[in-house]
Amino acid sequence: AKPLQHFTMSDIKVHYFGATGRGEQIRLSLALADKPFTNVTPGEDVPGFIAGCREKGGNLTTNLPMLEVDGKFYPQSQAASRYIGRRFKLYGSEQDAEQAFLVDKLMDDADDFRAVGYKCCYLPSFGMLATKEGVDKLLEETIPKHLKNFERQLGSQDYFLGTSPTIADASIYNVLVDFFVSFWPTILADYPNLQQFCDRFAAIPSVKAYLESDQKKKNMSFSADLLPKE
C-alpha cells in the first residue's frame, strides 16, 4: 500500500455554497481524516461559480458539492465522501466486503434521513416549501423511524462499525447534528446511545478542531428559523 500523502490546505478543496448542507459530510470526513482543506465558495457571482464547477466536474448538473484533490475534481457528495474513506483508510477493513457494505449501507441510511431533513425546510428561494402540517407529520411518523433505526444499528458500540470511526460515522453525525439537532435541540433525548455517539464523534481531536474553527463557523447552518411557521 502507498504511504499516506501529506496534504496542505491548498491541495484539498471543497467547492460548495457557504453553508453546511450536502457539503458538510465531505468536510467532516476530511476532518476525521485530519486532512486540512480550503472551502471554495461562490461569493457574489453564484452563476459563474456554478458554471465553473459544472465545467470542472464534468457532469451537466451543478457538480455541487465537489471535492478537489491535487487538481482533480470529484463531484457528488456521497461518492466524494467514499473517495475520502478509501484514500485515507476510513472505510473499515479494505479487504472485508462485509465492512465495506456496512459503510455504504449506513451512508445510504444517512442520505435517506438527510432527504427528510430537507423536507422540513421552508426556504422558497431554494424551492423548499415545507408546511407546518407536513413537518408535524414527519416528526410523528417518519423521523422516529430513522432515529430508532440508527439507535438499533449503533447498539452499545462506540461507533457504527465498532471501536474505530469511519466515513459512515461522519455522514451520520452530519445528518443527526447539522440537520435534526439544529432544528430541534432535544430531539435525541430519547436516544441516549445516539447522543453519546454524537458527543464522542465531536470529541475526536481533529473533528473537534474543525468544529471549533472559523472555517466551520463561517458556513450558514440549519436552524429552527428554517422550519415553516404555518
Side-chain angles (χ1 to χ4, degrees):
K2 292 182 180 179
L4 292 185
Q5 181 178 346
H6 175 72
F7 286 93
T8 66
M9 290 184 72
S10 62
D11 296 319
I12 303 178
K13 299 173 183 176
V14 178
H15 299 254
Y16 195 54
F17 305 107
T20 52
R22 289 192 173 275
E24 195 64 13
Q25 66 171 319
I26 297 175
R27 300 182 187 116
L28 285 166
S29 296
L30 289 168
L32 178 60
D34 198 14
K35 301 301 174 186
F37 63 92
T38 300
N39 282 317
V40 181
T41 55
E44 295 182 2
D45 184 14
V46 175
F49 176 73
I50 292 174
C53 290
R54 184 180 293 118
E55 181 179 350
K56 293 170 183 173
N59 280 348
L60 297 180
T61 54
T62 64
N63 293 290
L64 293 169
M66 182 170 66
L67 174 69
E68 178 183 351
V69 182
D70 288 343
K72 291 189 67 175
F73 298 95
Y74 304 89
Q76 295 288 8
S77 55
Q78 291 285 87
S81 295
R82 289 181 169 110
Y83 171 82
I84 293 167
R86 292 185 178 98
R87 180 148 188 177
F88 301 126
K89 315 297 184 186
L90 294 172
Y91 225 98
S93 171
E94 290 185 351
Q95 308 303 320
D96 191 328
E98 285 292 320
Q99 284 197 4
F101 166 79
L102 284 173
V103 170
D104 287 339
K105 189 261 187 194
L106 287 162
M107 290 185 70
D108 286 348
D109 287 343
D111 210 41
D112 286 347
F113 199 24
R114 198 173 285 113
V116 176
Y118 280 112
K119 289 180 180 179
C120 296
C121 294
Y122 183 76
L123 199 59
S125 58
F126 283 85
M128 300 179 196
L129 301 172
T131 64
K132 188 176 185 303
E133 180 182 2
V135 171
D136 287 346
K137 187 173 182 180
L138 290 173
L139 264 175
E140 182 180 349
E141 298 177 3
T142 306
I143 292 171
K145 289 180 182 178
H146 285 274
L147 292 173
K148 289 174 183 176
N149 190 43
F150 284 122
E151 180 95 343
R152 174 187 62 80
Q153 292 180 91
L154 178 64
S156 60
Q157 301 178 111
D158 287 349
Y159 299 103
F160 278 83
L161 261 70
T163 57
S164 299
T166 69
I167 51 166
D169 296 287
S171 187
I172 293 167
Y173 175 89
N174 163 237
V175 72
L176 291 177
V177 173
D178 291 309
F179 285 77
F180 292 92
V181 172
S182 294
F183 291 146
W184 299 284
T186 62
I187 198 167
L188 297 183
D190 292 332
Y191 306 92
N193 289 349
L194 290 183
Q195 182 62 67
Q196 290 169 20
F197 157 76
C198 290
D199 294 342
R200 188 179 298 115
F201 184 85
I204 295 170
S206 59
V207 175
K208 184 174 186 289
Y210 167 66
L211 294 176
E212 294 176 352
S213 69
D214 289 338
Q215 187 179 35
K216 163 71 173 175
K217 294 174 183 176
K218 284 180 181 178
N219 288 327
M220 184 187 79
S221 299
F222 289 100
S223 71
D225 292 337
L226 295 181
L227 297 173
K229 305 298 187 292
E230 57 183 36

